[in-house]
Amino acid sequence: MPRILIVEDEQKIASFVRQGFSQEGFAVDLASDGIDGLHLATTSEYDLIVLDVMLPGRDGWSVLQEVRKHRPDQPVILLTALDAVSHRVKGLTAGADDYLVKPFAFSELLARVRNVLRRAPARAMEMLRLDDLEMDLLRHKASRGGKPLDLAPQEYRLLEFLLRHLGEVLTRTRLAEQVWGMNFDGDSNVVDVAIRRLRRKIDDASERKLIHTLRGVGYVLEARD
Ligand code: CA
């Protein structure tokens, strides 16, 4: 899950941006002034920082400068109400990766964030792999043998969970609890149905099957010879 820090003092903007990113599967931290923002930016790890320019305590320019001293490669997008060319130039030369003028649509910010993240070196933990099955958590994409997989949200979460627990026998109870967040009801076939769908997408076209059933117990994801 990519982590993002939002440094924004306008509560309305902060909360709609936070909500938007949460819905897109980001882990979001929020700071409402430059001092807290700088503290979080230099003591935690973020994939990206969305930084407002006009902030109480310490303005965005100075936060950015200070962040750059500690984290030269930290991706940062600046937000500002000042739509002047000189500010745009100043933002980019001060080391921001991109710049967005208020007011903006969340979809625009999201597109820019994705774009900047694509250029940033992906952290190893954001790629999950087994055989020729790949999951790119940052881009929210999965593929097998280089072919993209079209997964529903539950199938995506299920596959991520299986890939994080390679070779482990996962009971229906555990999958129901940890992927669906529900108490497993012995009569429910929600897990089996989702596994069947996932299998169709992942294994049907391949010689080498990756999802295996342990009858009466559960499932295991592994590459067998
Ligand atoms: Ca502001």
Side-chain angles (χ1 to χ4, degrees):
M1 181 184 277
R3 294 192 69 204
I4 198 160
L5 171 65
I6 299 162
V7 189
E8 169 62 83
D9 60 312
E10 280 166 73
Q11 185 127 38
K12 248 172 80 179
I13 297 178
S15 77
F16 97 78
V17 168
R18 185 223 284 265
Q19 194 188 358
F21 282 117
S22 301
Q23 281 169 0
E24 292 295 324
F26 290 75
V28 186
D29 282 349
L30 204 58
S32 58
D33 64 57
I35 295 161
D36 283 354
L38 179 59
H39 177 73
L40 282 172
T42 51
T43 54
S44 285
E45 294 275 341
Y46 294 100
D47 295 286
L48 190 134
I49 299 173
V50 175
L51 178 62
D52 186 29
V53 170
M54 305 297 277
L55 287 169
R58 184 164 194 159
D59 74 23
W61 306 123
S62 111
V63 172
L64 178 58
Q65 246 171 20
E66 213 42 45
V67 167
R68 279 280 168 267
K69 285 186 199 161
H70 298 264
R71 307 267 160 91
D73 300 324
Q74 173 69 58
V76 175
I77 294 179
L78 287 176
L79 294 181
T80 183
L82 307 168
D83 185 15
V85 173
S86 62
H87 283 98
R88 184 180 298 261
V89 170
K90 187 175 174 186
L92 295 172
T93 52
D97 297 270
D98 205 348
Y99 184 102
L100 196 57
V101 173
K102 294 177 184 175
F104 56 86
F106 177 73
S107 56
E108 160 114 56
L109 177 59
L110 181 64
R112 288 181 187 230
V113 163
R114 292 227 156 105
N115 198 31
V116 168
L117 289 178
R118 242 192 306 280
R119 298 197 304 252
R123 293 186 309 194
M125 60 179 287
E126 282 158 354
M127 288 295 287
L128 299 174
R129 285 191 185 90
L130 171 66
D131 203 55
D132 59 350
L133 174 66
E134 274 194 0
M135 198 164 198
D136 181 339
L137 300 177
L138 205 57
R139 295 176 200 174
H140 206 79
K141 280 180 183 164
S143 64
R144 174 128 201 222
K147 283 189 190 144
L149 299 169
D150 182 20
L151 302 177
Q154 289 290 7
E155 294 163 358
Y156 184 93
R157 277 208 286 282
L158 175 60
L159 181 59
E160 179 179 348
F161 191 80
L162 292 172
L163 277 164
R164 288 188 188 282
H165 297 87
L166 281 181
E168 285 178 46
V169 177
L170 300 167
T171 61
R172 289 175 178 78
T173 309
R174 187 158 171 218
L175 289 171
E177 278 173 9
Q178 303 208 3
V179 179
W180 281 264
M182 59 184 231
N183 286 325
F184 185 64
D185 161 1
D187 292 333
S188 163
N189 63 352
V190 59
V191 174
D192 301 293
V193 169
I195 289 275
R196 205 178 306 139
R197 290 212 185 103
L198 195 57
R199 214 171 221 160
R200 209 173 294 147
K201 294 178 181 180
I202 286 169
D203 277 345
D204 273 13
S206 293
E207 254 330 85
R208 197 177 168 93
K209 309 299 179 198
L210 301 177
I211 299 175
H212 308 277
T213 306
L214 260 88
R215 279 178 70 185
V217 184
Y219 300 97
V220 59
L221 185 73
E222 64 185 356
R224 295 177 179 169
D225 292 320

